[in-house]
Amino acid sequence: MSINKVAKLAGVSNSTVSRVINNHPRVAPETAKAVRKAMSTLDYKPSDRRPGPKPSLRTRTGATTIAFLVFGTSRNRTTPAFERLLNGVSLASSANNLNLLFAQVPNPEELPGRIIDANVNGLLLHGALPGPEVRERLQRIPTVWLMGNRRRPEWGDQVMPDGYEIGELAARYLTERGHKHLAFFDLDADHWAFRVYGHAFSASAADHGAQVHQLEQKRQLGQDYWQPYMTDSTQELVDRYCRIEPRPTGIFVADDMQAATIQPALQRSGVDIRPGGVEVVSCNNEISFLMGLSPRPASIDIRAEAIGQRGVEQLIWRLEHPDIAERTTIAVEPLIAGPASEYSTNPTTASVATV
């Protein structure tokens, strides 16, 4: 008796039958009941030698195993936003009875041995794109990418900040404070998510009758995905800004790590940053980068913890629907934090787009 006949009688896919056989915890009760009824009707008894995950793992642990891998970095440069992301992943994994493996992978060309040896059912990924051999291995496993990576992933779903809303929030914040000449600073012009911020910022500013100067610089990448920004690149953008006439009074910086170097460089060049003067808004709400700045700029909270939680939920959905080929991108709505909390938006909304 073949699994195909069981699937046909139950009205489900072969993979759904396999998950019921393997006691997968993420199969709807009514679906599992229909599959077991079909197995009983056909007197189907699965073989212990069948390929794929065996029920022993889930019987022993009571949970599906997922792995969260961060490529291209090590523990010495963990950012505050990433810590909140990891906390969200951990909370959601515990709430859904999932075994969670976590590894930072400095070399994107290699996988840790414990990940290779583990019976991993699904993946959460972040950071640099892995090398070809690693990519080929990982593409066989249901995958969700988290956050706006420097390069758009070539496979898998993605949960990330809503880049268009980030740009619009920044433009609205500055124009509502009376600024009509704006600038967008970005020290990582090849970062595709940051480019979305800049495009949305310019479009929204134009809708409000404001003009935007794009001040961007390509980043010199080192070995670490979270490496700091170069002082020379920062000063080059500041010098370009100071030559603009009329000089922009509203500045949007792509992230807080950049703001931590850009704002002091502006002030050293004589730019008067204060309420009613030149004002700055940045992104990520990473307070540790902004603590030493005076005045402290407003920052857009990308809600990294919610992205981590939503990523786990999307991976569970993907494990339950392995036959759906379309990739899904989920954009989590940001909000203004810090000095401009009155501009915050509803933090519970997430928009969904399929690509």
Side-chain angles (χ1 to χ4, degrees):
M1 180 67 60
S2 74
I3 197 172
N4 296 335
K5 292 183 179 180
V6 175
K8 185 175 181 179
L9 180 60
V12 299
S13 66
N14 289 358
S15 58
T16 297
V17 174
S18 178
R19 289 198 299 279
V20 172
I21 292 172
N22 290 321
N23 297 318
H24 196 292
R26 293 294 158 191
V27 179
E30 60 274 14
T31 301
K33 182 178 180 181
V35 170
R36 292 192 179 97
K37 181 178 179 181
M39 291 170 61
S40 176
T41 299
L42 297 172
D43 194 26
Y44 174 75
K45 295 179 175 58
S47 169
D48 287 336
R49 293 190 300 272
R50 65 189 179 279
K54 304 299 186 289
S56 58
L57 173 67
R58 296 186 184 97
T59 300
R60 183 173 65 253
T61 66
T64 298
T65 298
I66 66 173
F68 183 16
L69 307 182
V70 184
F71 285 97
T73 191
S74 56
R75 296 181 186 275
N76 62 335
R77 294 194 185 277
T78 301
T79 63
F82 178 78
E83 292 175 0
R84 295 198 297 271
L85 177 74
L86 180 57
N87 188 54
V89 169
S90 179
L91 289 173
S93 297
S94 297
N96 289 280
N97 194 31
L98 302 175
N99 284 331
L100 174 64
L101 302 178
F102 172 67
Q104 289 180 301
V105 187
N107 185 357
E109 304 292 334
E110 298 179 359
L111 274 178
R114 68 189 184 95
I115 299 298
I116 295 174
D117 296 338
N119 191 357
V120 174
N121 305 104
L123 292 171
L124 299 170
L125 301 181
H126 176 65
L129 292 182
E133 293 185 6
V134 174
R135 192 180 314 154
E136 181 180 0
R137 181 189 295 266
L138 298 184
Q139 284 177 336
R140 305 169 188 169
I141 305 173
T143 298
V144 176
W145 289 82
L146 301 180
M147 304 288 275
N149 297 272
R150 295 193 76 257
R151 297 284 184 269
R152 189 166 186 173
E154 299 174 359
W155 84 96
D157 296 339
Q158 188 167 23
V159 179
M160 60 186 296
D162 186 339
Y164 294 101
E165 181 64 17
I166 287 171
E168 291 178 3
L169 268 180
R172 189 160 66 247
Y173 168 69
L174 292 171
T175 56
E176 289 183 1
R177 296 172 75 85
H179 300 284
K180 294 299 182 183
H181 296 280
L182 311 178
F184 174 62
F185 277 75
D186 181 13
L187 292 168
D188 193 356
D190 288 332
H191 195 300
W192 75 274
F194 290 170
R195 293 201 302 270
V196 171
Y197 296 2
H199 294 159
F201 180 64
S202 295
S204 181
D207 290 342
H208 290 85
Q211 178 185 9
V212 174
H213 291 270
Q214 301 275 348
L215 299 171
E216 299 171 299
Q217 178 74 269
K218 290 187 177 181
R219 191 174 189 179
Q220 295 180 351
L221 295 177
Q223 295 182 342
D224 200 302
Y225 184 82
W226 290 322
Q227 71 185 56
Y229 294 97
M230 303 296 292
T231 302
D232 292 346
S233 298
T234 301
Q235 191 59 49
E236 182 178 333
L237 287 194
V238 169
D239 292 343
R240 286 168 55 189
Y241 165 84
C242 290
R243 292 193 294 267
I244 298 172
E245 292 292 343
R247 185 177 293 177
T249 58
I251 295 174
F252 173 36
V253 182
D255 69 18
D256 295 332
M257 187 187 294
Q258 295 189 40
T261 62
I262 289 173
Q263 179 167 314
L266 287 167
Q267 291 171 316
R268 288 193 299 270
S269 297
V271 178
D272 183 19
I273 298 179
R274 59 177 173 80
V278 175
E279 294 185 276
V280 177
V281 58
S282 62
C283 187
N284 284 3
N285 195 30
E286 295 181 294
I287 303 302
S288 61
F289 290 128
L290 306 178
M291 287 292 289
L293 302 183
S294 180
R296 201 180 88 191
S299 184
I300 296 171
D301 187 349
I302 60 173
R303 301 178 55 229
E305 185 169 306
I307 291 171
Q309 292 175 318
R310 190 65 183 85
V312 172
E313 293 169 2
Q314 179 60 25
L315 184 56
I316 291 170
W317 181 89
R318 181 56 68 182
L319 289 169
E320 292 175 342
H321 301 84
D323 299 328
I324 295 179
E326 294 85 0
R327 298 171 63 190
T328 298
T329 297
I330 296 172
V332 174
E333 188 175 23
L335 54 88
I336 287 280
S341 58
E342 68 270 18
Y343 286 85
S344 44
T345 57
N346 181 356
T348 62
T349 304
S351 56
V352 180
T354 301
V355 297

